[in-house]
Amino acid sequence: MLQSNSMNIIPVIICGGAGTRLWPVSREAFPKPLLKLADGQSLLQKTFLRALNVSKSDEVVIVTNRDTYFLTKDECVEVESNVSRLGFVLEPMARNTAAAIGVAAEVVREQHGPDAIMLVMPADHLIEDEDAFGAAVQHAARSAQEGRLVTFGIRPTAPETGFGYIEYDQAPIEGAEAVHKVMRFVEKPELNVARELVADGRHLWNAGMFCFTAETLLAELEQYAPGVAGPAADAVRTSKRSTSDDGYAVELDAAQFRNAEDISIDYAVMERSDNVNVVPCQMGWSDIGSWQSISDLTPADNRGNRIHGEAELHDVDGCFVRSDERVIGMVGVRDLLVVDTADALLIAARDRAQDVKQIVAKLKKANHDAYRLHRTVHRPWGTYTVLEEGVRFKMKRIVVKPGASLSLQMHHHRSEHWIVVSGCADIVNGDKLISLQPNESTYIPAGHKHRLINPGVMDLVLIEVQCGEYLGEDDIVRFEDVYGRAPAA
Amino acid sequence: MLQSNSMNIIPVIICGGAGTRLWPVSREAFPKPLLKLADGQSLLQKTFLRALNVSKSDEVVIVTNRDTYFLTKDECVEVESNVSRLGFVLEPMARNTAAAIGVAAEVVREQHGPDAIMLVMPADHLIEDEDAFGAAVQHAARSAQEGRLVTFGIRPTAPETGFGYIEYDQAPIEGAEAVHKVMRFVEKPELNVARELVADGRHLWNAGMFCFTAETLLAELEQYAPGVAGPAADAVRTSKRSTSDDGYAVELDAAQFRNAEDISIDYAVMERSDNVNVVPCQMGWSDIGSWQSISDLTPADNRGNRIHGEAELHDVDGCFVRSDERVIGMVGVRDLLVVDTADALLIAARDRAQDVKQIVAKLKKANHDAYRLHRTVHRPWGTYTVLEEGVRFKMKRIVVKPGASLSLQMHHHRSEHWIVVSGCADIVNGDKLISLQPNESTYIPAGHKHRLINPGVMDLVLIEVQCGEYLGEDDIVRFEDVYGRAPAA
């Protein structure tokens, strides 16, 4: 066991999952890993803490889209601020899991050498039995050390048609009690096939988690998916790097990464290689694939209802309700999933949870904002929430994090009235620098350069009333930006 | 017919109906008559236009709670500004229909003499066939002229258990082809009884509409319900009067009106008197008793859905949806009533529409604002909408009608930032009088006397950000108020 404890395991979290079945909470600009469960922790935060548990070096690598970089980092720091090395690999666009894992492997090999063991974890899954998970990881890591590709297979508890299955050799491989040879991968089956797979005891759910050394993965990728391996290597080689006290960021080169083949790691490598093994697990795993699975996480009351938020029920059974702001009255209904947000509402039959993605597809086709954005939009410096839009005016609540600063900017078409309601603000307004306390205000005329800074140690909350003929977010000229969003001179 | 055309019929609209089955649109401070149908007209407006059609003198008397006076008047003027005499009888508290009709009769007798014919109409019913209604009114008025109490009976189309029934003599009374003697009133029946009543052809629905002279009603009220008649007469005698170009208002004396017995006109007079007659009618009458009956007013699409607002449906049948602001996604559900408002949402099974009142009862018991108020609150001068409340701040959108003015007022605990976004404002701020145009702002410190006036001819829209330790609506000292809301000196 001493050997296993000294293994250098680098957790790699793949932040993906559009989560279209979790609309309206999950959206394109607020993906599934950010979804908060009833205990207040997001799936990403839970995955991050799980990753820290298995990493001896307190290092975690996170692959995510660059648009959600700050949001993702904030989430991690919120649950554990004492991380020594937090590595970000930032994708300029989505290119599926083979490319995401490929660039992570390049970065891990560069930072820790070819024999570093990667533990690849999706950011949007839940694992309840951390001990069982830890034990499985140790078994997988020992095999990975010997040059194997190892995947994790969940012992099925129901004939799920939403997962792929793994058929495995019943006898463990030589010298490794818990690791088995993979015989074949089975794509998402029809229900009758799924029933057979569950019954025969020789099949596991494919959980999308993997363990291998950086070198092993890159060699297999080179052999079976050169269309991924080449662009991944190039994108890392020509990436922009930044480092800070708590880690580093690798911003992949868009021109190179764009060329990577859009293919999953399963298709690209796992189904083609004969070096694939599996650790069968029972660890309370869930992919949180739908509102039904989120509902399952909450104990029901004596009528089978699960309520988060304010609801009055009259003769209601078997319903799941999640409402942040509004009171919901329900009468004489059963087996519904109801999810309420500031600008969109879902009402679905419990047994149709998988079809919520159809709504998102329709909204996307109609180019409706509600498939993409929430009313509250996250920015590197904090958030803004559109409270009201009318003819020639728009109102926002702006929250600026302590020490954060918006860009020095100017709008051609709109003036802005700013009123501080909490915290304190330093404001550049044309040629002047002013400081505002709660209940103080200033006016930024159109055409004036301005900047908003929170010099304090608590959140700055500010109400902004915009007036003008054109109030689009694209009427902004950035002069300086600490987050690199100003155009190059 | 010449005689009938010259009859002096005074329509009396009784504005009541809590409309608890039409929550969340109907609320205590926004009662059922104000509910707007798909064509944009409220039930009150439709009743008002119907009343004008039968009134030869363009006079209409409206009995309503004094809290909804301006709201009710605005509704009427919005659909017909050219009314010569609009009379309001303002109740300080609700005392049921006998008292409401009693005070109206006192006012009508005073204004038009004892023989004036009153046509009493609830403000929250719908009548589709105006011609049939007009004909029935002529028949009723002729009998009323002869000193009879006349009610209107709707030929039943279904065994409704939500209405009372009227049994009538099949032979018309002497000399009046369409008027019949009432044999008895039947209270809301059980379903099996209702089936018998509908089948036997001798029963009509009690529509709560009446016709009689002021003198006849007052005499019957004096005889059968002196506990109503006395206080009603006293409350009118000691009322406060006001007149304007377009009519008058009678503000009943609260100390007197409070003593009136709380009883319906049916119990108080109709079921006791032997002078009661009925005009059987078929005129597309509906009491708009529930969301089901509102749903019935809209044509369904080919899957039986009726949608008002923005909704994406996937495999949905037989649903009624009403949403003002938000997009609603629905999956795999059927036969639901969904009504969405800014701060509350209803989801009910279509066949349980009657039980929506149970939700209201629960909210009322919990003292929840959503049973009483909307997010937008109506005032004599316009409306305000609370857009956001936070720690030590509150934001409102304030809309002031052309020429209207808020009271001269002062707050102890809050300061206010005002930003004009549309229209123009004259503002008293301490000792100063200032004028603001769109995109201009002012600041009202706590303790400063201030007043907001719209001197223009279009709505003034203003954003108010309140800051302070206490932001309750009761922190207001009124010095002068054109609507009589300032305390007497």
Side-chain angles (χ1 to χ4, degrees):
Chain A
M1 292 305 283
L2 230 167
Q3 187 198 1
S4 74
N5 278 337
S6 66
M7 286 188 295
N8 188 16
I9 298 175
I10 310 293
V12 175
I13 298 175
I14 308 292
C15 272
T20 55
R21 288 170 299 174
L22 292 169
W23 183 87
V25 172
S26 276
R27 309 228 181 149
E28 197 169 283
F30 191 84
K32 184 177 154 199
L34 301 174
L35 184 124
K36 287 206 187 317
L37 298 185
D39 64 2
Q41 276 185 355
S42 66
L43 291 170
L44 171 63
Q45 288 175 328
K46 289 178 182 294
T47 305
F48 179 63
L49 292 174
R50 196 184 314 129
L52 285 177
N53 266 344
V54 298
S55 167
K56 296 294 159 240
S57 60
D58 272 3
E59 167 151 0
V60 176
V61 174
I62 299 179
V63 184
T64 189
N65 189 287
R66 64 181 174 190
D67 288 344
T68 45
Y69 171 35
F70 293 99
L71 194 49
T72 306
K73 192 168 180 180
D74 286 350
E75 284 280 296
C76 294
V77 172
E78 186 181 312
V79 288
E80 179 52 71
S81 57
N82 212 359
V83 182
S84 54
R85 280 173 65 81
L86 188 52
F88 276 90
V89 182
L90 302 176
E91 296 180 319
M93 72 281 292
R95 279 292 178 273
N96 216 325
T97 49
I101 293 170
V103 292
E106 291 284 353
V107 170
V108 168
R109 181 169 66 178
E110 171 195 303
Q111 301 275 324
H112 301 277
D115 297 332
I117 299 167
M118 298 167 64
L119 172 66
V120 176
M121 312 159 76
D124 57 350
H125 293 181
L126 194 67
I127 291 174
E128 284 178 355
D129 186 344
E130 296 272 348
D131 290 342
F133 171 69
V137 168
Q138 293 303 323
H139 288 300
R142 276 194 295 273
S143 271
Q145 223 167 11
E146 292 162 8
R148 295 192 174 91
L149 297 172
V150 186
T151 180
F152 296 81
I154 310 296
R155 290 198 189 281
T157 54
E160 288 284 346
T161 56
F163 305 142
Y165 287 70
I166 297 169
E167 186 184 353
Y168 70 107
D169 190 349
Q170 298 297 292
I173 61 175
E174 205 183 319
E177 48 173 316
V179 184
H180 299 247
K181 183 90 185 155
V182 169
M183 308 299 284
R184 63 171 185 134
F185 285 83
V186 183
E187 291 206 47
K188 293 175 185 175
E190 298 288 322
L191 183 60
N192 57 342
V193 177
R195 289 208 179 100
E196 290 171 22
L197 299 180
V198 173
D200 73 10
R202 288 180 290 114
H203 290 83
L204 306 165
W205 288 337
N206 181 355
M209 293 190 293
F210 306 98
C211 193
F212 32 63
T213 65
E215 189 62 31
T216 303
L217 186 276
L218 288 169
E220 299 267 353
L221 203 62
E222 182 63 47
Q223 180 176 353
Y224 294 109
V228 175
D234 291 342
V236 171
R237 192 172 31 78
T238 56
S239 62
K240 284 198 285 186
R241 307 297 181 100
S242 60
T243 56
S244 58
D245 289 350
D246 56 0
Y248 60 90
V250 177
E251 194 182 340
L252 298 171
D253 186 87
Q256 303 294 342
F257 192 67
R258 180 176 290 117
N259 300 326
E261 195 184 345
D262 187 331
I263 187 172
S264 75
I265 190 73
D266 299 271
Y267 281 128
V269 173
M270 299 300 158
E271 299 187 10
R272 296 173 182 173
S273 170
D274 58 0
N275 183 26
V276 185
N277 303 275
V278 63
V279 179
C281 313
Q282 276 176 303
M283 54 191 190
W285 174 88
S286 163
D287 81 329
I288 309 294
S290 71
W291 287 113
Q292 177 59 54
S293 50
I294 291 196
S295 171
D296 288 344
L297 299 176
T298 314
D301 67 17
N302 59 2
R303 298 194 64 161
N305 295 311
R306 297 162 163 95
I307 309 296
H308 301 278
E310 212 178 357
E312 289 291 352
L313 310 183
H314 180 72
D315 196 9
V316 169
D317 298 275
C319 287
F320 169 80
V321 175
R322 177 176 162 142
S323 171
D324 294 337
E325 293 179 11
R326 296 171 332 132
V327 58
I328 301 185
M330 296 170 71
V331 179
V333 293
R334 55 208 67 244
D335 298 327
L336 295 182
L337 302 165
V338 177
V339 181
D340 186 45
T341 68
D343 61 345
L345 164 71
L346 170 71
I347 303 173
R350 181 174 273 280
D351 59 2
R352 301 294 296 276
Q354 300 294 330
D355 290 331
V356 171
K357 59 177 180 242
Q358 305 291 346
I359 298 294
V360 179
K362 287 183 183 185
L363 289 172
K364 185 165 184 172
K365 201 171 164 196
N367 202 20
H368 196 296
D369 258 1
Y371 96 87
R372 192 168 60 88
L373 289 176
H374 275 284
R375 217 169 57 118
T376 294
V377 177
H378 292 263
R379 289 284 189 240
W381 42 261
T383 63
Y384 73 77
T385 304
V386 176
L387 300 174
E388 171 106 338
E389 284 189 74
V391 178
R392 295 176 60 93
F393 79 98
K394 190 195 267 187
M395 294 170 66
K396 290 179 177 177
R397 177 176 13 83
I398 294 174
V399 179
V400 185
K401 293 183 284 193
S405 161
L406 280 68
S407 59
L408 180 65
Q409 57 189 241
M410 185 267 277
H411 313 293
H412 291 293
H413 301 290
R414 69 178 187 252
S415 307
E416 294 177 346
H417 298 260
W418 289 356
I419 300 156
V420 173
V421 295
S422 173
C424 59
D426 283 352
I427 293 170
V428 176
N429 185 354
D431 300 332
K432 292 182 193 147
L433 175 65
I434 58 175
S435 289
L436 294 188
Q437 294 295 316
N439 195 23
E440 295 181 340
S441 65
T442 192
Y443 171 66
I444 318 277
H448 267 223
K449 276 191 196 183
H450 57 278
R451 170 171 247 164
L452 177 60
I453 300 146
N454 179 359
V457 295
M458 58 182 278
D459 280 351
L460 159 64
V461 182
L462 180 134
I463 301 300
E464 172 178 282
V465 181
Q466 305 176 352
C467 296
E469 272 187 303
Y470 179 77
L471 302 168
E473 293 299 329
D474 54 347
D475 173 19
I476 183 165
V477 181
R478 288 200 178 95
F479 300 98
E480 291 169 28
D481 186 65
V482 294
Y483 310 105
R485 298 176 302 165
Chain B
M1 292 303 281
L2 231 165
Q3 187 199 2
S4 75
N5 277 337
S6 67
M7 287 188 295
N8 187 17
I9 299 175
I10 310 293
V12 175
I13 298 175
I14 308 291
C15 273
T20 54
R21 289 170 298 173
L22 293 170
W23 184 88
V25 173
S26 276
R27 309 224 181 153
E28 198 169 281
F30 192 85
K32 183 177 153 199
L34 301 174
L35 184 122
K36 286 207 187 316
L37 297 185
D39 64 2
Q41 276 185 356
S42 66
L43 291 170
L44 171 63
Q45 288 175 328
K46 288 177 183 295
T47 305
F48 179 64
L49 292 174
R50 196 184 313 131
L52 285 177
N53 267 343
V54 298
S55 168
K56 295 296 158 235
S57 61
D58 271 5
E59 167 150 0
V60 176
V61 175
I62 298 179
V63 185
T64 190
N65 190 286
R66 64 180 175 192
D67 288 343
T68 46
Y69 172 35
F70 293 98
L71 193 49
T72 307
K73 192 168 180 181
D74 287 349
E75 285 280 298
C76 294
V77 172
E78 186 181 312
V79 289
E80 179 51 70
S81 56
N82 212 0
V83 182
S84 54
R85 281 174 64 81
L86 189 51
F88 276 91
V89 182
L90 302 175
E91 297 179 319
M93 70 283 290
R95 277 294 178 272
N96 216 325
T97 50
I101 293 169
V103 292
E106 291 284 353
V107 170
V108 169
R109 182 169 64 178
E110 171 196 303
Q111 302 275 324
H112 300 278
D115 297 332
I117 299 168
M118 300 167 63
L119 172 66
V120 176
M121 313 159 76
D124 57 349
H125 292 182
L126 194 67
I127 292 174
E128 284 178 355
D129 186 344
E130 296 272 348
D131 291 341
F133 170 69
V137 168
Q138 294 302 323
H139 289 300
R142 277 194 296 272
S143 272
Q145 223 168 8
E146 294 161 8
R148 294 192 175 92
L149 298 171
V150 186
T151 179
F152 295 81
I154 310 296
R155 292 200 188 279
T157 53
E160 287 284 346
T161 57
F163 305 143
Y165 286 69
I166 297 170
E167 186 184 352
Y168 71 107
D169 190 348
Q170 298 298 291
I173 61 175
E174 205 182 319
E177 49 174 316
V179 183
H180 299 249
K181 182 92 187 151
V182 168
M183 309 300 283
R184 64 171 182 134
F185 285 83
V186 182
E187 291 207 46
K188 292 175 186 175
E190 297 289 322
L191 182 60
N192 55 341
V193 176
R195 289 209 180 100
E196 290 172 20
L197 299 181
V198 173
D200 73 11
R202 290 180 290 113
H203 290 83
L204 305 165
W205 288 337
N206 182 356
M209 293 190 295
F210 307 99
C211 193
F212 32 63
T213 66
E215 189 61 32
T216 305
L217 187 273
L218 288 169
E220 298 269 352
L221 203 61
E222 181 63 47
Q223 181 176 351
Y224 295 108
V228 174
D234 293 341
V236 171
R237 190 172 33 77
T238 56
S239 62
K240 284 198 286 186
R241 307 296 180 103
S242 60
T243 56
S244 57
D245 289 349
D246 55 359
Y248 60 90
V250 177
E251 194 181 340
L252 299 171
D253 186 89
Q256 304 294 341
F257 192 66
R258 180 177 291 116
N259 299 326
E261 196 183 344
D262 186 332
I263 187 172
S264 75
I265 190 74
D266 298 271
Y267 281 127
V269 173
M270 300 298 158
E271 299 187 12
R272 295 173 184 174
S273 170
D274 58 2
N275 184 27
V276 185
N277 302 274
V278 63
V279 179
C281 312
Q282 276 176 302
M283 54 191 190
W285 174 87
S286 163
D287 81 331
I288 307 295
S290 70
W291 287 113
Q292 177 59 53
S293 50
I294 291 196
S295 171
D296 288 344
L297 299 176
T298 315
D301 68 15
N302 60 1
R303 296 195 64 160
N305 295 310
R306 296 161 165 95
I307 309 295
H308 302 277
E310 211 179 358
E312 290 290 352
L313 310 182
H314 180 72
D315 196 10
V316 169
D317 298 275
C319 287
F320 169 79
V321 175
R322 177 175 163 143
S323 172
D324 294 337
E325 294 179 10
R326 297 174 327 135
V327 59
I328 302 185
M330 296 170 71
V331 179
V333 293
R334 55 207 69 241
D335 297 328
L336 295 182
L337 301 165
V338 177
V339 181
D340 186 45
T341 68
D343 61 345
L345 165 71
L346 169 71
I347 303 172
R350 181 173 273 278
D351 59 1
R352 300 296 295 278
Q354 299 295 330
D355 291 332
V356 172
K357 58 177 181 245
Q358 305 293 346
I359 298 294
V360 180
K362 287 183 184 184
L363 289 171
K364 186 166 185 171
K365 200 171 165 196
N367 203 21
H368 196 294
D369 257 0
Y371 96 87
R372 192 167 61 87
L373 289 176
H374 275 283
R375 217 170 57 118
T376 294
V377 177
H378 292 263
R379 289 284 190 242
W381 41 261
T383 63
Y384 72 78
T385 304
V386 176
L387 300 175
E388 170 106 342
E389 284 189 74
V391 179
R392 296 175 59 92
F393 79 98
K394 189 196 270 186
M395 293 171 67
K396 290 179 177 176
R397 176 176 14 83
I398 294 174
V399 179
V400 185
K401 292 184 285 195
S405 159
L406 280 68
S407 59
L408 180 66
Q409 57 189 240
M410 186 268 277
H411 313 293
H412 290 294
H413 300 290
R414 67 176 187 254
S415 307
E416 294 177 346
H417 299 259
W418 289 355
I419 300 155
V420 174
V421 296
S422 172
C424 60
D426 283 352
I427 294 170
V428 176
N429 186 354
D431 301 331
K432 292 182 194 147
L433 174 65
I434 57 174
S435 290
L436 293 189
Q437 296 294 316
N439 195 24
E440 295 182 339
S441 65
T442 192
Y443 171 67
I444 318 277
H448 267 224
K449 277 192 196 183
H450 57 279
R451 170 171 246 164
L452 177 60
I453 300 146
N454 179 1
V457 294
M458 59 182 279
D459 280 352
L460 159 65
V461 183
L462 179 134
I463 301 300
E464 172 178 283
V465 181
Q466 304 177 352
C467 296
E469 271 186 305
Y470 179 77
L471 301 169
E473 292 299 328
D474 55 347
D475 174 18
I476 182 165
V477 182
R478 288 199 178 94
F479 301 98
E480 291 170 27
D481 186 64
V482 293
Y483 310 103
R485 298 175 304 166

